[in-house]
Amino acid sequence: MFRSNWKKRLIGAIPQSGIGKPRLSHALIVTFVHYFSWGLLTVPSMVKLNERFAERAFLIDGLIYGTRGTLAFIAAPLMGALSDIWGRKPLMLMAVVTTYSPIPMMIIKDWWFFAMIMISGLFGTVYSTVLAYVADVTSQEERSKAYGLTSATYAAAMVLSPALGSLLMDKYGLPVAVSVAAATGLMNILFIWVALPESLPRQKEQEHAMDIAWVGAHPFYDLRMLGKNKTLLRICLIVVLSSWPEAGEESCVPLYLTLNMGFGNVEVSVLVGLVAVLGIAANVTLGLLINVLGAKGTIISGLVLEMCQLLLYGLGSQKWMMWMAGIMAATGTIGASACTVFSSMYSHPQNHGAVQGIMSGMMELSEALGPVVFGILFYAFNRDLNGKHSSQNGVPFVAGAISVLLAIILAKLLVEDVDKQKVYKSSGIVDEMKPLTGTE
């Protein structure tokens, strides 16, 4: 009873009201400010990591984000399920507070900064809760466009903030860059508390579910849905098979282009900026693409583009091939966004949080796995990247392309059905993905 009372008091203390009714714009603001704040620390954290660990910097970086990704993979389904019970706002607050808490440690005690980043994955990710919020406030017909705008907002934040953070650190020093990032994070916390209205009002059933949430809302309970639902299982496998090569690629492409393809720093910066801008444009048009190609067709198109760009990076020997690969990489991001849309369309409306939590967990696992696999393959096949192209230098990219090919085969097995009720019945979602209450 005591545990039940403190949970009710804690959740009840968070105001459900905000500015206006729940809208897509609320989710976009939270997304932009959150990733803008962390993006400011991209360069400062790399500098601090190098200063602290010197020649072990890459090893420690992999350990930090690999551990964080693994913890997030375990925790994300739980946090998603709890957001279906407690509401989106409390879980969003928990995620942003724990994500921002390491920031001051960068200038107070840098070792604690990296340690706190590593364990912050236990408290879920902001993005999965934001996607559940978007699903709450949009109809199924509007959702593909809304998810595309959310992905584009994330990309826009990550385009602008790293350069600004680097400029602030170079001109005013590390404390100023960290202070601006912390202040931006605090603004986001205040916005969620004051201005963000709850998109999932607690009903009596949900209040009762709070008493028994811990019985059923745990990672393995949610992951059992994958075994019961072939549609969700295929989507999750597609996400893993296609996301780890992308994560590995992002971790090494600038260095790969510099050492193996003779790119200069300016060329690399221009290519990265071009990829980001084109990625934003591709995701803004996601709704139109899904209307024309369907969710399944958009997923397959994105995966084909991703496979082709990986092959170009791995087997290409000319600079123009790298530019073409970058363009394909940007437009190929529609595949991951379309997977998110597909999963929300084929999930019970009261389980959007749980489903997006599972999806987020799979992505976090892939982001932890990708750099590790690429690093091992580079070490095994590329002991000396001396500025000359070698067929062996591209082995990690070719391995990633094979993984994406498997994802394409799985995507061909997906079944689209525009009849929502028929979708629920045929996929078993009504029976097997019913609202999580801790009882069966």
Side-chain angles (χ1 to χ4, degrees), residues 195-213:
L196 184 83
E198 175 59 64
S199 64
L200 192 69
R202 291 192 300 275
Q203 305 295 327
K204 291 183 178 180
E205 296 82 9
Q206 291 172 312
E207 291 174 359
H208 173 68
M210 285 193 296
D211 296 336
I212 52 180

Side-chain angles (χ1 to χ4, degrees), residues 80-407:
L82 290 180
S83 77
D84 288 329
I85 298 169
W86 292 352
R88 314 302 184 200
K89 190 169 181 175
L91 272 295
M92 205 177 292
L93 272 171
M94 182 188 299
V96 296
V97 169
T98 54
T99 302
Y100 295 142
S101 59
I103 293 178
M105 291 296 170
M106 182 177 280
I107 54 178
I108 298 173
K109 198 170 184 65
D110 55 8
W111 189 91
W112 279 101
F113 169 74
F114 296 113
M116 292 175 70
I117 288 177
M118 192 161 54
I119 65 174
S120 65
L122 279 173
F123 300 96
T125 60
V126 175
Y127 199 65
S128 62
T129 312
V130 164
L131 292 178
Y133 191 99
V134 171
D136 293 338
V137 301
T138 56
S139 65
Q140 184 168 315
E141 292 74 22
E142 300 171 327
R143 199 162 300 149
S144 57
K145 179 181 179 181
Y147 278 165
L149 288 173
T150 305
S151 298
T153 302
Y154 160 77
M158 296 308 292
V159 168
L160 299 172
S161 53
L164 178 58
S166 178
L167 177 64
L168 288 172
M169 186 183 68
D170 290 342
K171 194 167 185 178
Y172 302 105
L174 179 65
V176 171
V178 173
S179 298
V180 172
T184 307
L186 181 60
M187 287 172 54
N188 206 21
I189 293 172
L190 293 175
F191 175 82
I192 295 172
W193 184 277
V194 175
L196 184 83
E198 175 59 64
S199 64
L200 192 69
R202 291 192 300 275
Q203 305 295 327
K204 291 183 178 180
E205 296 82 9
Q206 291 172 312
E207 291 174 359
H208 173 68
M210 285 193 296
D211 296 336
I212 52 180
W214 296 105
V215 176
H218 56 77
F220 301 106
Y221 180 90
D222 289 324
L223 291 174
R224 277 188 352 216
M225 287 194 277
L226 298 183
K228 294 180 179 180
N229 187 281
K230 292 182 179 180
T231 300
L232 183 59
L233 176 61
R234 286 170 183 161
I235 284 291
C236 286
L237 289 174
I238 290 168
V239 167
V240 172
L241 289 170
S242 61
S243 294
W244 77 258
E246 182 180 359
E249 178 183 72
E250 289 175 356
S251 71
C252 71
V253 157
L255 187 62
Y256 177 80
L257 293 177
T258 301
L259 296 180
N260 195 53
M261 299 302 301
F263 273 57
N265 290 335
V266 173
E267 288 177 298
V268 171
S269 299
V270 172
L271 178 57
V272 170
L274 176 65
V275 169
V277 171
L278 290 177
I280 294 171
N283 280 281
V284 167
T285 61
L286 181 65
L288 177 62
L289 289 172
I290 289 181
N291 286 337
V292 174
L293 302 176
K296 176 181 175 180
T298 306
I299 291 171
I300 293 174
S301 298
L303 292 174
V304 169
L305 287 168
E306 183 182 355
M307 182 180 68
C308 290
Q309 60 95 3
L310 284 165
L311 289 173
L312 276 175
Y313 275 133
L315 303 177
S317 59
Q318 304 295 323
K319 281 189 176 182
W320 69 266
M321 296 180 180
M322 303 300 106
W323 287 95
M324 182 62 68
I327 294 172
M328 288 183 173
T331 52
T333 57
I334 59 172
S337 300
C339 283
T340 303
V341 174
F342 198 97
S343 67
S344 71
M345 292 167 58
Y346 283 65
S347 63
H348 194 286
Q350 295 186 39
N351 269 352
H352 286 316
V355 172
Q356 294 308 323
I358 292 174
M359 293 286 289
S360 176
M362 294 296 174
M363 290 179 183
E364 291 286 350
L365 181 65
S366 300
E367 289 179 7
L369 180 65
V372 173
V373 174
F374 266 59
I376 291 173
L377 291 175
F378 269 124
Y379 180 79
F381 290 94
N382 310 289
R383 294 182 181 271
D384 182 23
L385 288 176
N386 56 11
K388 296 181 180 179
H389 179 77
S390 166
S391 59
Q392 286 190 329
N393 292 346
V395 167
F397 299 99
V398 175
I402 293 171
S403 180
V404 176
L405 176 60
L406 295 176

